Amino acid sequence: MWAYQKKLEYPINIKRKDLKMAKYLMDQYGGPYGELNAALQYLNQRYTMPDERGKSLLTDIGTEEFAHLEMIATMIYQLTKDATTDELEKAGLGCHYVSFDHATFPANSNGVPYTAAYLQTTGDYIADLESDMAAEQRARSTYEHLMDLTDDPDLIAPLAFLRQREIIHYQRFKELRNYYLKNKI
Amino acid sequence: MNNYNIDRGYYNYINNNYNIPTYEQDINKNNIFDPYNGLIRGNMFPDLYNTYKIDNPIDIKPMNEQAEMLTYIDALCFACIDLSLYLDINPNDKDAIELYNVYRTNLGEYMLMYQNKYGPITKTSDSLNAYPWKWNDSPWPWEKGV
């Protein structure tokens, strides 16, 4: 089971409203390389990991991805909270407003709804881990693109934190993959 | 209360080696960030740390005493998360297990103090033995202020 902690993994306090950034951040919410997809991908793959190391690593990283999903939602919420309908429309969020008002919804930055078809999972643990390594690298590069698009330190700090987590997750997946290959597991 | 002993030298540590091919040695406790410096980097392991766009990690600036205490919890919680991932695939590293348990113990102490003073973070907190139901107290994590 899962237990909620009433706190974020890393604090977020955004003072400046920025609807364009909110729109771009949706890629990491409901996009193909977003946190939701990562969480579901790892938590589906964990059942067919060949040993205890794989089961625990996939469980723990999958769980952490949900904390990251909450961080992305928090950024989007704080960036859009006080926006008027007019401001949302000017930032390209008119279509979002029509369907969802100020609510969060897992879609990418172009409004394409999240789909489980994004999940890269096969039941072959080497293939799965290599998909996970690629997913972490893609997410790292998405965070770099997001950091390129803002100068607000209140946003850059959590984005830099999340980017760094992708690097660590990538490294751990790679170490596990290498361990399986080396020990012929 | 500020017992993290922040070493400014860490701020100058920049490399670009996230693509290290192997990393199989046991961790060296002297070469690991303290919890606060790990939290602001998103990484407890100097060997794996690299930066993008910003040269130095951004300090967390708590707005009040409650936020300051929460920063200690965030840091210790983060240290446990990051060490856990390492231990999942290096389960025989005694030093890392010892370090994990130091941070886990400290985290428990700070959680107890914080929750008794400011309200629950977990559903098992003693602070929930109160009327009316304390879980409902604002702010929620996504709201500004804490």
Side-chain angles (χ1 to χ4, degrees):
Chain A
M1 69 166 288
W2 270 265
Y4 186 67
Q5 288 201 13
K6 203 172 168 181
K7 74 177 207 64
L8 297 176
E9 189 184 5
Y10 178 97
I12 297 172
N13 275 293
I14 299 164
K15 293 161 214 86
R16 203 171 73 196
K17 179 165 61 179
D18 185 340
L19 301 179
K20 281 244 161 81
M21 276 312 288
K23 181 173 158 68
Y24 300 148
L25 277 164
M26 284 181 193
D27 240 62
Q28 281 305 96
Y29 198 60
Y33 318 125
E35 302 291 355
L36 177 63
N37 198 60
L40 295 180
Q41 182 164 310
Y42 307 154
L43 293 175
N44 276 289
Q45 291 172 350
R46 66 183 176 142
Y47 302 97
T48 43
M49 283 292 128
D51 72 353
E52 307 309 318
R53 294 177 190 219
K55 288 172 211 166
S56 65
L57 188 70
L58 273 284
T59 300
D60 286 351
I61 295 183
T63 300
E64 189 182 353
E65 302 294 2
F66 277 122
H68 296 171
L69 186 69
E70 187 184 33
M71 284 178 65
I72 298 290
T74 297
M75 286 187 245
I76 295 170
Y77 170 78
Q78 292 186 3
L79 287 166
T80 57
K81 190 171 155 284
D82 305 316
T84 64
T85 313
D86 205 36
E87 287 169 332
L88 287 170
E89 198 185 357
K90 279 196 186 117
L93 286 167
C95 296
H96 182 93
Y97 177 77
V98 168
S99 298
F100 312 113
D101 200 331
H102 280 67
T104 57
F105 180 80
N108 77 358
S109 51
N110 284 316
V112 179
Y114 178 76
T115 165
Y118 295 152
L119 294 173
Q120 298 285 325
T121 170
T122 68
D124 177 313
Y125 49 86
I126 296 295
D128 279 353
L129 287 171
E130 290 182 354
S131 294
D132 300 345
M133 288 160 59
E136 296 291 339
Q137 291 287 35
R138 288 197 192 98
R140 174 188 55 78
S141 112
T142 304
Y143 280 121
E144 288 170 7
H145 300 156
L146 286 166
M147 288 169 78
D148 291 341
L149 290 164
T150 179
D151 286 318
D152 185 350
D154 291 343
L155 260 181
I156 287 182
L159 289 174
F161 174 90
L162 290 167
R163 171 186 174 272
Q164 196 70 209
R165 298 311 294 149
E166 308 298 339
I167 291 167
I168 294 287
H169 292 172
Y170 168 78
Q171 182 70 21
R172 299 297 173 233
F173 284 136
K174 186 165 67 176
E175 286 164 2
L176 183 64
R177 192 267 320 245
N178 290 349
Y179 169 82
Y180 287 158
L181 290 177
K182 194 176 143 198
N183 294 286
K184 301 194 168 41
I185 290 171
Chain B
M1 186 124 102
N2 191 342
N3 55 0
Y4 286 127
N5 197 14
I6 295 166
D7 179 352
R8 295 282 150 185
Y10 286 139
Y11 289 92
N12 301 319
Y13 191 97
I14 296 162
N15 61 19
N16 194 27
N17 59 355
Y18 53 78
N19 217 358
I20 297 171
T22 54
Y23 185 78
E24 288 173 355
Q25 320 89 316
D26 285 357
I27 62 161
N28 175 356
K29 270 202 274 187
N30 299 317
N31 192 26
I32 189 164
F33 292 125
D34 62 74
Y36 175 78
N37 276 289
L39 175 69
I40 61 172
R41 285 167 177 75
N43 178 358
M44 292 294 287
F45 299 86
D47 292 348
L48 297 174
Y49 180 63
N50 77 89
T51 57
Y52 181 79
K53 188 165 174 174
I54 48 168
D55 289 336
N56 299 312
I58 299 170
D59 266 311
I60 292 163
K61 299 182 190 78
M63 290 175 296
N64 52 43
E65 201 191 312
Q66 181 180 358
E68 192 188 339
M69 202 160 165
L70 189 60
T71 304
Y72 294 125
I73 288 173
D74 286 344
L76 288 163
C77 189
F78 176 75
C80 289
I81 289 172
D82 209 17
L83 281 173
S84 273
L85 300 188
Y86 170 84
L87 279 166
D88 287 348
I89 52 173
N90 298 275
N92 302 316
D93 186 337
K94 268 188 188 160
D95 282 353
I97 293 172
E98 198 179 296
L99 197 58
Y100 178 88
N101 281 287
V102 169
Y103 295 148
R104 181 187 60 77
T105 310
N106 289 348
L107 176 62
E109 285 163 10
Y110 273 99
M111 284 284 267
L112 190 68
M113 276 194 289
Y114 179 96
Q115 295 183 107
N116 285 342
K117 198 164 179 187
Y118 299 110
I121 290 176
T122 67
K123 280 275 164 81
T124 53
S125 167
D126 286 342
S127 64
L128 287 166
N129 189 3
Y131 178 89
W133 183 231
K134 232 175 156 31
W135 185 254
N136 292 3
D137 287 2
S138 286
W140 285 83
W142 55 88
E143 292 166 344
K144 289 181 239 188
V146 171

